[in-house]
Amino acid sequence: MAGGGIVTAPGKNYPGKLTFRVFITSLVAASGGLIFGYDLGISGGVTSMDSFLKEFFPSVYQKESTVKSSDDQYCKFNSQTLTLFTSSLYLAALFSSMIASWATRTFGRRVTMFFAGFLFFIGAIINGAAQNVAMLIVGRLFLGCGIGCANQSVPIYLSEVAPYKYRGALNMMFQLSITIGILVANLLNYEFAKIEGGWGWRLSLGGAVIPALLIILGSLFLPDTPNSLLERGKKEEAHRQLVKIRGVQDVDEEFNDLIAACESSKLVKSPWGNIWRRKYRPQLTMAFCIPLFQQLTGMNVFMFYAPVLFKTVGFGSNASLMSAVITGFVNCIATLVSITTVDKVGRRFLFIGGGLQMLIMQFIITAGIAWKFGLSGNPGPLPKWYAGGLVACICVYVAGFAWSWGPLGWLVPSEIFPLEIRSAAQSINVAVNMIFTFFVAQIFTWMLCHLKFGLFIFFAVWVIIMTAFICMLLPETKGVPIEEMQQVWRSHPYWKKYVCNDETADLTKNKKESTV
Ligand code: BGC
């Protein structure tokens, strides 16, 4: 193993406590995750509502309603147009995260959050009023742009305002609000699906205006982070802000480190050009691999398609939506476990533990589906205990994700990037996350139809790969101040050769330039 990745944290110990102000600020900022979560939860639910399918995707509805229980259940939802409805949003989010990278640097994190809410609001109105598929897709493009901006700015904002000892917990409030968004959306879908006349889906889609308004209002009252203020040349305001959020007067050591980080970031002319340098290779690798792996856990198969999947294994329409509520609830509660432990047990422990838990469940779920559905996809009558057991296994799997790759997928990237490449690297993180969310959403129904129960084995293999990756290549970042993070890579057995060689080359070059 390339050195387990346990390294000692640099000996910094900035004064400062977890103030009420920071807690409330983080709570408000984290509500930015609600828009993402609400959409994740809503899309899966509405695409399993008959009235919605009849109106916009009549061919899917017809196919689904004519499938008999003796037919191949694996293929009844296989429609690329239907999945395009779900996944178009992620393409928009991918592009908007690139623009949001520039916006977070130029206007600050807070203004970017405001735009996130605004774009999401427009998308929600268009979707709630949709008359045809084109309107649905345009609405989703707006929603996607909003999500791209929020996912770019909120995690960075949280990691920057948090005192380093509590950074894990405060940052994870973003994931908590994602899971609350999913749960609320699942509950609303369950209720709205019962509305007579079948127009409940309009309420589900239009209801997205509420989380949009929350982030708009929140962003109007939030202060900007000291790091972002310094980045934009507002030194005195940055100092005042740091004193306020740390709740102590003695912030000089941290402030000087922030200034030093900011000065060295100013020497970097183009973050996009610099990010490819050898000394940033560990960060670049993480910015790419962590979101990639997060999506390849297969979690979104359950998030988007839980009702569809539960229908496939024989639950009725309402029972499917109810089961999605149960998994949504487990997702939310398990995130709390992560919040309360991450700054004590560390990131690596949760990544590895959660990975193993998901892996075991993936094998059990595969065996269960293979046993009853086999290759033909025709299970015959399914006993109640079987369906209940399957939901229970899915819940244990979801809990595994919720205390590992879910929150850590957003926390770790946001805390390891040095200021000079932070915005660019975060937008790679968001973009990769969105591409692979798109990929999983787009090909899931096709994969289920063709790989059958093997679908879950596909994701299990990825969980093995990502767990090995964490064991070998991710150092522990618990308790390391964010502007001191470079030290962690310098002392890592594998990454040090990239970081130190390049830094030595920089020093030699600077020396030569100053003697000329
Ligand atoms: C992921 C989403 C996922 C959600 C589930 C997030 O961290 O980025 O793709 O649906 O967690 O809780």
Side-chain angles (χ1 to χ4, degrees):
M1 194 156 99
I6 309 289
V7 293
T8 45
K12 296 272 175 176
N13 194 3
Y14 302 138
K17 37 193 181 198
L18 179 56
T19 57
F20 184 65
R21 179 187 288 269
V22 162
F23 181 71
I24 293 298
T25 304
S26 305
L27 202 65
V28 174
S31 73
L34 284 180
I35 61 174
F36 184 32
Y38 187 83
D39 189 81
L40 283 163
I42 282 294
S43 333
V46 291
T47 50
S48 77
M49 287 183 195
D50 289 346
S51 56
F52 178 80
L53 290 178
K54 255 192 244 169
E55 181 132 9
F56 295 105
F57 303 96
S59 59
V60 181
Y61 174 72
Q62 225 179 355
K63 188 168 166 202
E64 185 214 351
S65 49
T66 50
V67 168
K68 295 192 290 293
S69 61
S70 57
D71 290 343
D72 184 348
Q73 304 293 314
Y74 289 128
C75 295
K76 68 178 178 185
F77 285 99
N78 185 11
S79 154
Q80 291 300 303
T81 343
L82 181 63
T83 43
L84 191 64
F85 163 76
T86 306
S87 54
S88 56
L89 178 147
Y90 296 94
L91 287 185
L94 159 76
F95 290 114
S96 83
S97 70
M98 301 289 165
I99 300 170
S101 147
W102 163 80
T104 42
R105 244 178 315 126
T106 317
F107 306 117
R109 294 42 170 148
R110 196 172 76 89
V111 173
T112 316
M113 284 184 216
F114 175 84
F115 277 112
F118 181 67
L119 293 166
F120 199 78
F121 186 85
I122 298 181
I125 303 263
I126 300 180
N127 264 354
Q131 300 298 324
N132 46 42
V133 179
M135 263 179 100
L136 275 184
I137 305 271
V138 171
R140 285 191 72 71
L141 295 180
F142 272 98
L143 295 177
C145 289
I147 290 177
C149 290
N151 290 13
Q152 166 78 19
S153 49
V154 175
I156 292 189
Y157 184 96
L158 291 169
S159 282
E160 288 181 346
V161 294
Y164 69 98
K165 287 184 195 146
Y166 305 100
R167 191 178 55 237
L170 289 181
N171 182 291
M172 283 186 172
M173 280 159 54
F174 176 64
Q175 176 72 13
L176 183 65
S177 71
I178 295 179
T179 61
I180 293 175
I182 296 175
L183 178 62
V184 170
N186 286 340
L187 281 167
L188 292 181
N189 273 339
Y190 181 69
E191 287 306 322
F192 292 157
K194 295 187 210 151
I195 292 182
E196 259 176 56
W199 54 274
W201 60 266
R202 285 200 189 275
L203 291 179
S204 296
L205 294 180
V209 294
I210 309 277
L213 284 175
L214 282 179
I215 180 169
I216 291 178
L217 286 179
S219 67
L220 293 177
F221 295 106
L222 287 176
D224 227 328
T225 68
N227 320 49
S228 171
L229 290 166
L230 272 178
E231 199 174 30
R232 288 174 291 136
K234 303 182 178 175
K235 195 167 167 185
E236 265 144 45
E237 206 182 327
H239 189 267
R240 264 203 311 277
Q241 204 49 52
L242 190 63
V243 170
K244 272 194 195 159
I245 60 177
R246 294 292 172 259
V248 290
Q249 288 299 322
D250 174 21
V251 293
D252 288 352
E253 191 184 5
E254 181 171 4
F255 192 61
N256 289 338
D257 285 347
L258 283 180
I259 293 183
C262 185
E263 307 271 281
S264 71
S265 85
K266 290 215 171 104
L267 297 177
V268 173
K269 299 222 169 46
S270 140
W272 284 103
N274 260 278
I275 203 167
W276 308 106
R277 292 192 46 183
R278 272 175 76 81
K279 69 172 174 184
Y280 300 128
R281 198 57 50 83
Q283 288 92 340
L284 187 62
T285 308
M286 298 300 155
F288 186 83
C289 290
I290 291 186
L292 165 81
F293 289 149
Q294 189 203 51
Q295 291 309 314
L296 290 177
T297 55
M299 172 67 170
N300 278 330
V301 161
F302 298 108
M303 287 296 110
F304 295 138
Y305 300 113
V308 168
L309 206 68
F310 288 128
K311 255 183 157 181
T312 303
V313 297
F315 286 74
S317 200
N318 266 355
S320 307
L321 288 173
M322 194 59 216
S323 312
V325 170
I326 297 174
T327 50
F329 188 70
V330 170
N331 190 17
C332 200
I333 299 297
T335 306
L336 288 174
V337 175
S338 197
I339 292 184
T340 49
T341 55
V342 65
D343 290 312
K344 298 187 190 93
V345 301
R347 283 63 167 152
R348 283 169 50 86
F349 180 84
L350 291 177
F351 263 130
I352 297 168
L356 292 177
Q357 180 170 333
M358 283 189 285
L359 189 63
I360 296 170
M361 285 305 128
Q362 278 162 330
F363 281 121
I364 298 180
I365 294 169
T366 305
I369 296 188
W371 172 47
K372 280 284 177 192
F373 286 73
L375 284 175
S376 68
N378 171 7
L382 286 169
K384 271 216 167 90
W385 65 263
Y386 174 85
L390 199 68
V391 174
C393 289
I394 292 178
C395 285
V396 180
Y397 163 87
V398 167
F401 175 89
W403 53 58
S404 62
W405 283 88
L408 294 168
W410 293 105
L411 165 66
V412 172
S414 77
E415 66 183 6
I416 58 172
F417 306 140
L419 188 60
E420 62 268 25
I421 56 160
R422 192 167 298 156
S423 302
Q426 176 68 1
S427 77
I428 295 184
N429 176 39
V430 177
V432 174
N433 197 303
M434 296 300 136
I435 294 175
F436 285 92
T437 308
F438 170 83
F439 171 77
V440 170
Q442 189 65 30
I443 66 162
F444 160 71
T445 51
W446 179 88
M447 278 174 87
L448 181 64
C449 182
H450 292 88
L451 293 182
K452 305 178 189 298
F453 55 82
L455 171 71
F456 301 100
I457 294 288
F458 170 82
F459 291 114
V461 170
W462 279 107
V463 172
I464 297 175
I465 297 174
M466 66 188 80
T467 306
F469 173 89
I470 296 294
C471 288
M472 293 193 279
L473 295 177
L474 185 78
E476 183 55 67
T477 49
K478 166 188 92 171
V480 182
I482 191 165
E483 306 304 348
E484 295 297 313
M485 204 58 83
Q486 198 63 357
Q487 187 57 36
V488 161
W489 308 107
R490 279 188 205 119
S491 37
H492 187 272
Y494 179 76
W495 292 119
K496 68 179 173 201
K497 62 175 183 287
Y498 284 90
V499 181
C500 298
N501 290 354
D502 206 32
E503 286 178 342
T504 318
D506 267 358
L507 275 180
T508 327
K509 190 170 148 229
N510 289 348
K511 253 192 211 153
K512 264 195 200 150
E513 277 171 8
S514 59
T515 49
V516 170

